[in-house]
């Protein structure tokens, strides 16, 4: 028997095939488009996402030399994007980083409610409640015709099985649903004017059995009907589940999320969310909205056709380029510590050069700014960890792992076999292995450890002082 896991990120769907002992035997990915719109809108086409999922699964099975009948269980993780099933609404997926609902988020933030408290006192337009309010107000014809509205990880499972169910992870972290306060918060829904959106089916903890693949889902995914599908997670939460346990987790991909347990509510911090990953544990999240996205944006500013790996390889051969270039990385606002979706980035020391060296310099210094932002997030969370478990696309670079170690002062623990897919595979295997904790123990693997370097730590301390001063200057300018 094999275990299947699907991770749908901001631009790619990835599939992994694992043994029941937790060994990753194959991994493949396929891309899909982001469709920009006016007023900070960003969309996807679910049909394109689903096709990318199917192609990634087929390629992973081919690489593994496996027969589809060998896959005994499957689960999905995804970004917290919103799938809207309604005639005339296309594209039908509102991306997680879509900021059309800034006004609605600000309105919600003024309501004294536990949902707002657990959103750090300032609801983000990246959450689902303000997006639902936007739909109700700006597209009433779509709202009236809603057939379904789901988090992306839930819609993937629904398309696969035909069974209505929601992941507790997504419901608690992004919807007006509190597991320890009776579930759906009817009072807030009514006050927001969205109490009538369809929400059938149970809310299930990660790793709970949803049901078998339907004949349609099996045919579309190239698997066998009857393959078990388990409740999945939001992608960052899957990464925290699959990373090294017993330490805070840094999920560094398109955005950065720091996940930790046992924290009380705090301004500009999301959570705590009971049971969002493991039963009996509450998880909180601080983060940065655009990190890998900033590095991709920098790459696209220059004419040289260089990949991220090529740029990082050049930087490694010429360490510490452009030490007088400094970047505040908030191109998509600040989640933590400022909770301001309208905050913007700053570059100090930019030149007109368009060479490969200029690209490398800006790329590296943007990465330094991102790592310093992560240090600030960790401090705001009240943490001073000796070690961080790191996952996500940025974690694949040894150079970036070293940068995060030097910027934060923490050891970086990284599992080469992809912690995000591993976390989703743990959820998939949970019904077959005696629960999600037992599956996590079975899937555990040793981590590679990156330790801070004293000389680099000194450079990052100088950068840190400049970083804070630039934030102060930015606030002074905004006040003018």
């Amino acid at each position: 028997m094999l275990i299947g896991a699907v991770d749908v990120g901001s631009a790619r769907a990835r599939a992994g095939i694992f043994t029941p002992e937790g060994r990753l035997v194959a991994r493949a990915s396929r891309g899909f488009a982001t469709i920009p719109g006016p007023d900070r809108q960003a969309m996807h086409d679910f049909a394109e996402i689903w096709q990318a999922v199917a192609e990634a699964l087929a390629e992973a099975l081919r690489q593994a030399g496996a027969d589809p009948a060998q896959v005994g269980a499957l689960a999905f993780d995804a970004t917290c994007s919103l799938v809207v099933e309604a005639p005339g609404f296309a594209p039908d997926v509102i991306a997680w980083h879509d900021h059309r609902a800034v006004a609605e988020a600000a309105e919600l933030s003024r309501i004294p409610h536990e949902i707002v408290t657990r959103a750090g006192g300032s609801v983000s337009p990246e959450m689902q409640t303000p997006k639902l309010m936007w739909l109700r107000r700006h597209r009433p014809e779509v709202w009236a015709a809603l057939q379904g509205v789901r988090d992306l990880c839930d819609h993937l499972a629904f398309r696969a099985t035909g069974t209505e169910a929601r992941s507790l992870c997504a419901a608690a972290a992004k919807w007006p649903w509190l597991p320890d306060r009776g579930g759906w918060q009817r009072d807030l829904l009514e006050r927001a004017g969205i109490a009538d959106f369809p929400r059938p089916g149970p809310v299930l903890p990660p790793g709970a059995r949803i049901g078998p693949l339907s004949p349609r889902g099996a045919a579309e995914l190239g698997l066998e009907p009857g393959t078990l599908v388990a409740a999945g997670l939001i992608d960052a939460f899957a990464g925290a589940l699959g990373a090294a346990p017993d330490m805070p987790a840094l999920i560094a991909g398109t955005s950065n999320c720091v996940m930790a347990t046992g924290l009380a509510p705090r301004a500009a911090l999301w959570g705590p969310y009971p049971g969002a990953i493991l039963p009996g544990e509450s998880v909180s999240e601080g983060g940065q909205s655009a990190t890998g996205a900033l590095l991709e944006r920098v790459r696209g500013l220059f004419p040289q056709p260089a990949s991220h790996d090529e740029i990082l390889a050049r930087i490694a051969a010429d360490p510490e380029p452009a030490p007088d270039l400094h970047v505040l990385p908030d191109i998509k606002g600040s989640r933590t510590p400022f909770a301001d979706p309208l905050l913007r980035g700053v570059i100090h020391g930019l030149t007109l050069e368009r060479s490969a060296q200029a690209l490398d310099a800006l790329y590296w210094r943007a990465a330094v700014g991102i790592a310093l932002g992560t240090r600030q997030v960790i401090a705001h969370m009240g943490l001073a960890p000796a070690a961080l478990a790191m996952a996500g696309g940025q974690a694949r670079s040894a150079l970036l792992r070293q940068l995060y170690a030097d910027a934060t002062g923490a050891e970086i623990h990284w599992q080469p076999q992809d912690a995000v897919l591993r976390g989703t595979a743990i959820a998939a295997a949970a019904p077959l292995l005696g629960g999600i904790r037992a599956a996590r123990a079975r899937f555990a693997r040793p981590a590679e450890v990156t330790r801070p370097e004293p000389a680099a730590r000194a450079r990052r301390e100088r950068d840190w002082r400049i970083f804070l001063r630039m934030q102060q200057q930015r606030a002074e300018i905004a006040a003018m």
Side-chain angles (χ1 to χ4, degrees), residues 212-229:
L213 281 178
S214 67
R216 177 191 180 189
E220 291 174 345
L221 294 177
L223 299 174
E224 292 294 312
T227 303
L228 173 66
V229 176

Side-chain angles (χ1 to χ4, degrees), residues 36-60:
D39 300 323
R40 302 177 292 270
Q41 295 182 16
M43 308 284 286
H44 305 297
D45 183 336
F46 182 77
E48 186 183 4
I49 292 175
W50 190 243
Q51 183 63 32
V53 167
E55 291 177 3
L57 269 171
E59 176 59 19

Side-chain angles (χ1 to χ4, degrees), residues 28-251:
S29 73
R30 292 292 185 272
F32 54 86
T34 298
I35 304 161
D39 300 323
R40 302 177 292 270
Q41 295 182 16
M43 308 284 286
H44 305 297
D45 183 336
F46 182 77
E48 186 183 4
I49 292 175
W50 190 243
Q51 183 63 32
V53 167
E55 291 177 3
L57 269 171
E59 176 59 19
L61 284 169
R62 187 196 67 77
Q63 290 179 15
D67 187 277
Q70 293 177 265
V71 179
L74 177 68
F76 301 90
D77 78 74
T79 63
C80 55
S81 299
L82 184 69
V83 183
V84 179
E85 281 192 310
F89 189 76
D92 54 355
V93 182
I94 302 177
W96 68 268
H97 52 88
D98 182 293
H99 277 195
R100 72 183 67 194
V102 168
E104 286 76 12
E107 180 182 332
L108 275 171
S109 299
R110 293 190 290 269
I111 299 175
H113 197 281
E114 184 65 16
I115 289 288
V116 177
T117 299
R118 297 194 198 183
S122 180
V123 176
S124 169
E126 295 168 11
M127 294 180 174
Q128 309 302 18
T129 311
K131 289 175 180 173
L132 293 174
M133 292 172 65
W134 187 96
L135 276 175
R136 176 71 177 82
R137 292 173 178 179
H138 295 272
R139 297 294 302 273
E141 79 288 359
V142 169
W143 188 265
L146 273 180
Q147 298 168 355
V149 58
R150 305 177 188 89
D151 228 86
L152 180 53
C153 68
D154 296 332
H155 194 74
L156 290 161
F158 174 72
R159 179 63 174 262
T161 64
T163 299
E164 287 279 8
R166 293 177 185 267
S167 165
L168 186 156
C169 175
K174 305 300 176 185
W175 296 73
W177 192 89
L178 296 175
D180 52 341
R181 298 289 182 95
W184 293 108
Q185 299 300 289
R186 183 87 189 181
D187 57 339
L188 185 67
L189 289 170
E190 291 177 348
R191 184 161 179 176
I194 56 172
D196 56 336
F197 77 87
R199 44 187 187 277
V203 176
L204 301 177
R209 181 188 301 263
I210 293 177
L213 281 178
S214 67
R216 177 191 180 189
E220 291 174 345
L221 294 177
L223 299 174
E224 292 294 312
T227 303
L228 173 66
V229 176
L233 309 95
I234 296 170
D235 53 353
F237 290 72
L241 176 61
D246 304 321
M247 65 182 70
L250 164 62
I251 316 303

